[in-house]
Amino acid sequence: QVQLVESGGGLVQAGGSLRLSCTASGSFFSINAMGWYRQAPGKQRELVAESTSGGITNYADFVKGRFTISRDNAKNTVYLQMNSLKPEDTAVYYCNLKAKRVRFGSARDYWGQGTQVTVSS
């Protein structure tokens, strides 16, 4: 079993900051990427930021310059530092892990339970 445990969501005023954390545990052979997605009410889940094990980071245009993704590979943990938050950043944020359970298997997606981020105006 693979588990993702998230923390760090909450309520913040516009312009404020929050830091999300997500730790992966369980049995997997390798991690391809860790990242964050978000889903606002009535909208589809969308990529926020992703960090590949090859050292590549990808950001959605709407967070560039405001959010920073980082990883602690020794702890299988990914962080999302969110600065200059806007009311439109309000959403449930989901941790995503792309990993292989076995050496010759295919990588698949694993999801955390989600953490609510609410930005008030």
Side-chain angles (χ1 to χ4, degrees), residues 28-30 32 98-108 110:
F28 43 83
F29 176 75
S30 64
N32 290 14
K98 292 180 170 61
K100 288 184 178 182
R101 291 290 305 279
V102 295
R103 179 176 181 179
F104 298 109
S106 299
R108 57 155 288 185
Y110 298 90

Side-chain angles (χ1 to χ4, degrees), residues 8-86:
L11 173 65
V12 65
Q13 289 189 329
S17 299
L18 285 173
R19 189 190 193 211
L20 306 182
S21 299
C22 172
T23 298
S25 63
S27 175
F28 43 83
F29 176 75
S30 64
I31 294 176
N32 290 14
M34 296 186 76
W36 295 92
Y37 287 68
R38 73 185 188 186
Q39 188 167 17
K43 295 187 176 182
Q44 289 189 331
R45 192 172 296 188
E46 59 187 355
L47 174 70
V48 176
E50 182 177 68
S51 172
T52 74
S53 295
I56 298 172
T57 56
N58 298 306
Y59 292 95
D61 287 344
F62 53 76
V63 302
K64 285 181 179 177
R66 299 188 298 126
F67 292 8
T68 302
I69 190 169
S70 61
R71 283 172 59 176
D72 184 335
N73 292 326
K75 297 180 180 179
N76 290 333
T77 298
V78 62
Y79 306 96
L80 186 67
Q81 178 66 44
M82 304 185 292
N83 298 328
S84 302
L85 282 160
K86 305 175 181 179

